[in-house]
């Protein structure tokens, strides 16, 4: 064992076991904190284990887990309609997940993507209500700007209590999710309710000029390009700019970064603005590209799912593309098993289980069983 | 009864789940482990209570099942954070997401069904006839009395027994505690498990005393408010009592104002507890900016015993 490992590893258990020849040796479980890079297969394994765990719950519901998983998979990836739906769901996951990855990189635990998405959608809708006759380009651009600004503002409201008052951002961002959802309820039941909507809570339908262009006859909209461009920009910023370097430094060692003269507070504010802004784009894209109006339930928890999406991708922007499609498929697959009488919450259950196994898997490889005389 | 008495009664009824969850959180965090899974644990507690109570008809069985299920989740959290030393924030978040998914999945079959009964009320006989005090204390249910006793018990445990000393040692300085012969891992496991069970009981109280039927996500962020209350109460059970009732009052204030026929849209009144949580934490952060906040010193950091040869 190298001297470096000696200082950072610890013996947990030491059991004396006689081996075949009768000579005694001991088995030790060692913890080695220097092994902080989990192997590539750990995310794959955690998905498999989560599927196995949830199979138990499916079986308890009196169904064959294999049939259910097959149906989920076919529903999400088996048909071209299913696959475009999966991509449609992947768009907000990618945008929110990217925002979350930026924040988590420096241990800013933003769990407020849901609220940031919601206010983004509301701000975009405000444009359609207060500037109804803009030509398409200006309408979409203004909606995008409003969406980003609202999301970023919501992010800022999480950042400022953290940087200036020492309030845990987890609590703030979550509380703001509820505030945003209540504000959404207020506008769709109140001032923005469609007068021709048969009393259904929701804004008037967007005009064609206020809707994002879609691919052919599918529901797949240009938001996918927003997401991919954002991934590319983020990737380049992190790799090639001073800001990206500082971010990586804070992530690796906050104390060293502080002594190197990096303004950590400023970085927290910047990442929360970015994080909120990206979720705001997701919200704008949902109303303008998918629902074409503001209503309750525009997000089936994208903001929370995106946390798992980001963590499963190990906060890597390129990995996010893969995991967001996977989880988009999980949501679509969850809907498709409703027809055989299984609650669609099976997909939420799977998501939670994946995260559990994922964080366990990140640690478990640090433990090794060693044999010594 | 006047407005204030009604508000006090409502504050206690809405505050009891918060109190139980906050006490659970205090036990967790005093041992040095962050518990962000409160929301998921409360949901799991609520759904277990509903399922077992509706299926078996026995309240006692329902409560025991709730304690068992949420204690098991607590053991999982301890295994991840104490034994595997996983990131405590992420483990808690996983608990919340898993708990809300699992509770929605399990609760589908009983969603909207009424419970066969509520938490039984203790009849205090003559006390009920005293004005105001009788109105408030004459109608408390068993779980509320239990939570009040628990406040006293935990206060004595933490501040006046050697067990409490061990607990604080483990939460503040596990290395020293270890040297003193205190079994750090064991203590952390026990308190995290007990804390999780208490948070589960908070979920049970939500459905037994507050909203007597299961609905997906019925806790509506109360688990997270309790996480904030732990800080607000400065990890102190007695302060937790006042903080929880204060928030219980805020929670029911919106509803009461609505009943008075106010012109304020109810959505804004419902925002009050969430916004006040943030404001209170900001105020505390500002006031305590140069003082120790009372946070257990090793909160969030796993304990690794040095190499032995």
């Amino acid at each position: 064992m190298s001297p470096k490992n000696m200082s950072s590893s610890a013996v947990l258990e030491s059991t004396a076991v006689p081996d075949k020849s009768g000579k005694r040796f001991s088995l030790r479980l060692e913890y080695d904190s220097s092994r902080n890079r989990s192997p590539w297969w750990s995310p794959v394994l955690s998905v498999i284990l989560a599927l196995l765990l949830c199979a138990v719950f499916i079986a308890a519901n009196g169904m064959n887990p294999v049939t259910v998983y097959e149906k989920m998979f076919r529903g999400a990836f088996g048909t071209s309609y299913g696959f475009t739906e999966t991509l449609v769901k992947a768009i907000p996951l990618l945008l929110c997940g990217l925002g979350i990855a930026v924040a988590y990189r420096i241990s800013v635990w933003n769990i407020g993507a849901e609220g940031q998405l919601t206010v983004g959608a509301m701000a975009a809708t405000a444009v359609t209500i207060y500037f109804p006759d803009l030509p398409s380009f200006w309408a979409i651009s203004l909606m995008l700007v409003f969406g980003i600004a609202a999301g970023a503002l919501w992010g800022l409201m999480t950042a400022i209590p953290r940087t200036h008052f020492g309030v845990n951002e987890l609590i703030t961002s979550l509380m703001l999710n509820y505030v945003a959802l209540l504000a959404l309820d207020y506008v769709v039941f109140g001032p923005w309710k469609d007068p021709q909507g048969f009393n259904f809570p929701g804004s008037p339908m967007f005009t064609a000029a206020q809707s994002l262009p879609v691919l052919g006859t599918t529901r797949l909209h240009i938001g996918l390009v927003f997401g991919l461009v954002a991934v590319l920009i983020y990737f380049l910023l992190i790799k090639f700019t001073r800001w990206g370097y500082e971010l990586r430094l804070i992530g690796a060692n906050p104390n060293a970064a502080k002594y190197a003269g990096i303004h950590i507070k400023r970085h927290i504010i910047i990442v929360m603005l970015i994080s909120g802004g990206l979720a705001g784009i997701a919200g704008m894209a949902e109303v303008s590209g998918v629902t074409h109006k503001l209503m309750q339930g525009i997000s089936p928890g994208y903001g929370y799912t995106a946390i798992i999406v980001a963590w499963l991708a190990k906060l890597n922007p390129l990995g996010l593309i893969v995991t967001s499609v996977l989880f988009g498929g999980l949501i679509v697959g969850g809907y498709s098993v409703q027809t055989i009488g299984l609650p669609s919450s099976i997909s939420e259950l799977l998501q939670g289980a994946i995260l559990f196994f994922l964080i366990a898997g990140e640690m478990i490889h640090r433990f090794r069983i060693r044999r010594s005389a | 009864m006047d407005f204030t008495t009604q508000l006090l009664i409502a504050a206690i009824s809405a505050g009891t789940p918060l109190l139980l969850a906050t006490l659970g959180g205090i036990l967790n965090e005093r041992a040095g482990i962050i518990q962000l899974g409160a929301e998921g644990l409360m949901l799991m507690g609520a759904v277990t209570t509903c399922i077992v109570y509706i299926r078996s008809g026995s309240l006692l069985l329902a409560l025991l099942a709730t304690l068992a299920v949420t204690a098991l989740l607590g053991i999982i959290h301890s295994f991840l954070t104490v034994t595997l030393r996983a990131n405590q924030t992420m483990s808690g978040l996983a608990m919340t997401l898993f708990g809300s998914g699992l509770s929605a999945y399990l609760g589908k079959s009983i969603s909207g069904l009424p419970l066969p009964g509520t938490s039984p009320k203790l009849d205090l006989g003559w006390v009920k006839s005293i004005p105001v005090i009788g109105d408030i204390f004459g109608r408390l249910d068993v779980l509320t009395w239990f939570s009040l006793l628990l406040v006293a018990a935990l206060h004595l445990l933490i501040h006046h027994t050697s067990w409490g000393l061990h607990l604080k040692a483990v939460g503040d300085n596990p290395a020293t505690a270890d040297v003193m012969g205190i079994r750090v891992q064991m203590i952390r496991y026990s308190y995290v498990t007990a804390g999780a069970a208490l948070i589960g009981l908070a979920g049970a109280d939500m459905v037994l005393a507050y909203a007597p039927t299961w609905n997906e996500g019925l806790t509506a962020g109360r688990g997270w408010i309790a996480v904030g209350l732990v800080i607000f109460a400065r990890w102190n059970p007695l302060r937790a009592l006042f903080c929880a009732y204060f928030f219980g009052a805020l929670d029911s204030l919106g509803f009461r104002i609505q009943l008075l026929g106010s012109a304020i849209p109810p959505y804004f009144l419902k925002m009050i507890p969430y916004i006040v949580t943030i404001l209170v934490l900001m105020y505390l952060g500002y006031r305590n900016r140069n003082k120790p906040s009372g946070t257990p010193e090793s909160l969030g950091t796993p304990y690794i015993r040095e190499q032995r040869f």
Side-chain angles (χ1 to χ4, degrees):
Chain A
M1 201 196 284
S2 72
K4 184 173 167 262
N5 279 358
M6 279 172 71
S7 59
S8 59
S9 67
V11 180
L12 294 179
E13 305 291 339
S14 186
T15 327
V17 185
D19 71 2
K20 280 188 193 129
S21 60
K23 220 168 85 185
R24 289 178 73 85
F25 68 95
S26 58
L27 284 177
R28 300 180 310 169
L29 190 59
E30 278 184 1
Y31 176 75
D32 182 351
S33 62
S34 68
R35 293 163 62 94
N36 54 7
R37 206 169 270 274
S38 60
W40 62 270
W41 44 262
S42 107
V44 180
L45 188 66
S46 49
V47 171
I48 294 172
L49 287 174
L51 286 171
L52 286 177
L53 176 70
C54 293
V56 177
F57 289 107
I58 295 172
N61 222 330
M63 284 182 208
N64 182 351
V66 180
T67 329
V68 170
Y69 286 150
E70 196 194 336
K71 196 163 176 62
M72 284 178 81
F73 186 79
R74 276 176 199 277
F77 301 102
T79 62
S80 63
Y81 170 76
F83 189 61
T84 51
E85 277 305 294
T86 295
L87 290 182
V88 168
K89 303 269 183 279
I91 293 167
L93 293 178
L94 179 60
L95 284 161
C96 293
L98 191 62
I100 286 166
V102 178
Y104 284 21
R105 194 163 267 271
I106 61 168
S107 297
V108 173
W109 308 110
N110 173 26
I111 52 173
E114 187 80 359
Q116 292 147 12
L117 180 149
T118 304
V119 294
M122 286 169 65
T125 308
V127 174
T128 69
I129 292 194
Y130 297 111
F131 308 98
D133 300 318
L134 287 176
S136 185
F137 175 78
W138 292 110
I140 299 286
S141 307
L142 200 60
M143 285 164 79
L144 199 55
V145 170
F146 267 56
I148 293 172
L153 175 73
W154 222 243
L156 188 67
M157 282 164 64
T158 302
I160 296 293
R162 159 79 193 263
T163 52
H164 290 75
F165 299 90
V167 181
N168 187 331
E169 69 279 7
L170 278 154
I171 301 172
T172 321
S173 56
L174 195 98
M175 294 291 115
L176 288 175
N177 284 350
Y178 287 99
V179 174
L181 287 174
L182 284 165
L184 174 74
D185 284 354
Y186 169 67
V187 292
V188 298
F189 279 100
W192 293 356
K193 189 156 92 177
D194 185 5
Q196 273 100 49
F198 303 102
N199 230 10
F200 182 80
S203 75
M205 285 298 278
F206 291 7
T207 61
Q210 293 156 348
S211 300
L212 288 177
V214 292
L215 182 75
T217 53
T218 65
R219 303 211 305 155
L220 187 59
H221 56 87
I222 196 93
L224 186 63
V225 178
F226 295 170
L228 294 175
V229 169
V231 165
L232 188 68
I233 294 176
Y234 172 69
F235 181 73
L236 295 175
L237 283 177
I238 280 285
K239 271 266 191 283
F240 299 111
T241 66
R242 182 202 163 112
W243 173 75
Y245 171 74
E246 291 189 350
L247 217 57
R248 279 183 285 148
L249 186 58
I250 300 173
N253 190 338
N255 280 328
K258 204 162 111 188
Y259 293 124
I262 295 174
H263 290 273
I264 293 188
K265 282 185 181 183
R266 193 195 295 157
H267 275 284
I268 292 176
I269 292 177
I270 293 172
V271 297
M272 278 310 299
L273 286 172
I274 296 175
S275 203
L278 285 167
I281 300 179
M284 178 273 173
E286 278 305 293
V287 284
S288 176
V290 181
T291 59
H292 302 294
K293 65 174 177 178
L294 188 68
M295 55 184 192
Q296 280 183 304
I298 43 165
S299 161
Y302 290 133
Y304 300 109
T305 306
I307 297 169
I308 310 169
V309 168
W311 203 257
L312 189 64
K314 297 183 176 180
L315 311 183
N316 177 326
L318 301 178
L320 262 164
I321 299 176
V322 179
T323 54
S324 55
V325 172
L326 181 71
F327 274 69
L330 201 54
I331 296 174
V332 174
Y335 291 138
S336 68
V337 291
Q338 273 180 303
T339 50
I340 54 170
L342 205 64
S344 68
S345 42
I346 184 71
S347 74
E348 282 174 60
L349 178 58
L350 262 170
Q351 293 172 20
I354 289 173
L355 188 57
F356 253 132
F357 285 111
L358 201 59
I359 55 173
E362 271 164 13
M363 301 307 292
I364 216 139
H365 73 281
R366 294 187 180 186
F367 293 87
R368 279 194 291 186
I369 296 172
R370 282 188 172 244
R371 187 190 152 144
S372 61
Chain B
M1 270 185 283
D2 62 348
F3 183 80
T4 323
T5 318
Q6 280 181 348
L7 188 63
L8 276 174
I9 293 169
I12 292 175
S13 135
T16 303
L18 289 176
L19 176 60
L20 285 166
T22 308
L23 292 176
I26 288 174
L27 285 186
N28 268 284
E29 300 209 343
R30 279 280 184 182
I33 304 292
I34 307 174
Q35 178 53 282
L36 295 173
E39 183 80 4
L41 287 168
M42 276 179 80
L43 284 167
M44 282 306 295
V47 83
T48 311
T49 306
C50 285
I51 292 175
V52 178
Y53 200 7
I54 288 174
R55 296 265 186 263
S56 75
S58 157
L59 177 62
L60 186 68
L61 201 62
L63 289 177
L64 289 177
T66 301
L67 290 176
V69 166
T70 47
L72 179 69
L73 289 170
I75 292 176
I76 294 174
H77 185 61
S78 345
F79 177 71
L80 285 170
T81 56
V82 179
T83 304
L84 293 184
R85 296 141 189 166
N87 181 325
Q88 297 180 10
T89 304
M90 289 311 285
S91 173
L93 217 49
M95 181 74 74
T96 289
L97 294 171
F98 182 74
S100 44
L102 184 57
S103 63
Y105 182 78
L106 296 175
K108 202 74 183 174
S109 60
I110 47 128
S111 184
L113 291 182
L115 290 188
T118 53
S119 174
K121 292 192 181 352
L122 281 190
D123 197 336
L124 291 184
W126 58 272
V127 179
K128 269 198 298 195
S129 54
I130 309 171
V132 186
I133 293 175
D135 287 330
I136 295 171
F137 290 98
R139 17 170 84 232
L140 295 182
D141 63 291
V142 183
L143 277 174
T144 310
W145 280 115
F146 173 72
S147 69
L148 289 170
L149 284 178
L150 203 63
V151 170
L154 290 187
H155 173 75
L156 291 177
L157 173 84
I158 292 174
H159 297 293
H160 298 283
T161 66
S162 59
W163 290 330
L165 218 51
H166 290 182
L167 172 63
K168 285 186 282 190
V170 166
D172 282 333
N173 196 335
T176 309
D178 197 9
V179 172
M180 299 288 292
I182 299 170
R183 296 169 67 187
V184 176
Q185 315 275 39
M186 230 275 285
I187 290 208
R188 287 195 160 168
Y189 259 89
S190 326
Y191 281 99
V192 170
T193 306
L198 270 185
I199 299 172
L201 203 59
D205 187 61
M206 283 281 312
V207 287
L208 286 173
Y210 196 62
T213 169
W214 167 255
N215 280 306
E216 218 178 294
L218 92 169
T219 48
R222 284 183 181 78
W224 287 101
I225 291 185
V227 173
L229 284 177
V230 173
I231 302 168
F232 190 13
R234 304 185 72 180
W235 296 266
N236 183 330
L238 286 183
R239 289 174 61 109
L241 180 73
F242 297 102
C243 299
Y245 287 169
F246 172 65
F247 269 80
L250 282 179
D251 206 355
S252 41
L253 188 66
F255 182 62
R256 300 276 142 192
I257 294 177
Q258 220 178 313
L259 286 186
L260 293 179
S262 143
I264 307 170
Y267 311 103
F268 292 117
L269 298 173
K270 280 192 204 157
M271 287 178 192
I272 293 173
Y274 307 118
I275 293 175
V276 172
T277 305
I278 299 175
L279 293 179
V280 162
L281 291 175
M282 283 171 74
Y283 167 72
L284 285 178
Y286 174 74
R287 205 189 58 183
N288 297 333
R289 63 196 177 285
N290 297 322
K291 284 190 284 189
S293 61
T295 319
E297 276 160 32
S298 72
L299 185 64
T301 34
Y303 172 60
I304 305 166
R305 185 186 274 184
E306 292 300 317
Q307 182 87 301
R308 293 179 307 190
F309 281 105

